[in-house]
Amino acid sequence: MGTYEEKLGILSELISFARVDHSLKRSEYEFLLKVASNLGVDKETFDGLLKKKSPKITLKTQAERIVQFHRLLLLMNIDQEQHKKEVDTLYNIGLKMGLPPAAMAQVLEIMHRYPNKVVPPDVLINIFKAHYN
């Protein structure tokens, strides 16, 4: 994984996405805190990002972009609610990352087939692989 600044940028993007509905639910906060911990970012720094955004980053590899898309998808579904604005925002973030629109649409369609709408990583990867071949 990239530099510490890239990790802060990843978290900032996730925080911004979580606030699309103008709130940050407890379940979303806890999910984000776990992601921060997995990225090696301490709670104090993470809480600071809630108040002040980190600079926007560009993920270098396609694999990093797919992982970030998956994080965003998990975050969207953590509260068991999907609002049109969240789905549209997720899709637009994916477009800005250069992900194939058809692959994202397929993921958003099949997520409803899985418990808690959690698409397994191998299924997600296979969908994106199919669209790159």
Side-chain angles (χ1 to χ4, degrees):
M1 167 81 332
T3 67
Y4 191 71
E5 288 75 27
E6 287 171 328
K7 293 174 184 181
L8 296 179
I10 286 167
L11 287 169
S12 283
E13 182 174 56
L14 289 165
I15 291 166
S16 178
F17 180 69
R19 289 183 167 155
V20 162
D21 60 0
H22 305 290
S23 69
L24 183 63
K25 295 178 181 91
R26 183 89 187 143
S27 58
E28 293 168 331
Y29 175 83
E30 290 171 3
F31 174 82
L32 291 168
L33 189 56
K34 286 179 188 173
V35 172
S37 177
N38 288 338
L39 292 174
V41 175
D42 63 74
K43 185 179 184 313
E44 184 178 330
T45 303
F46 170 73
D47 286 339
L49 289 174
L50 295 171
K51 298 174 183 106
K52 180 184 171 198
K53 286 185 179 182
S54 185
K56 198 159 178 65
I57 50 99
T58 303
L59 297 171
K60 293 176 183 73
T61 69
Q62 202 64 10
E64 289 173 328
R65 293 177 193 138
I66 292 169
V67 168
Q68 182 69 349
F69 182 80
H70 195 228
R71 285 185 195 113
L72 291 162
L73 183 68
L74 293 170
L75 178 59
M76 179 178 73
N77 291 314
I78 199 79
D79 61 2
Q80 302 299 312
E81 298 175 19
Q82 299 82 41
H83 301 283
K84 182 171 176 18
K85 188 172 183 178
E86 289 176 315
V87 174
D88 291 347
T89 300
L90 173 61
Y91 189 81
N92 287 328
I93 290 170
L95 288 175
K96 288 177 187 169
M97 288 191 289
L99 296 176
M104 292 185 298
Q106 188 176 350
V107 170
L108 290 169
E109 179 185 323
I110 68 149
M111 73 180 184
H112 300 285
R113 298 180 193 162
Y114 295 95
N116 299 322
K117 297 179 178 65
V118 176
V119 178
D122 60 325
V123 172
L124 183 107
I125 289 166
N126 286 333
I127 289 170
F128 280 97
K129 274 185 184 176
H131 289 272
Y132 285 115
N133 290 334

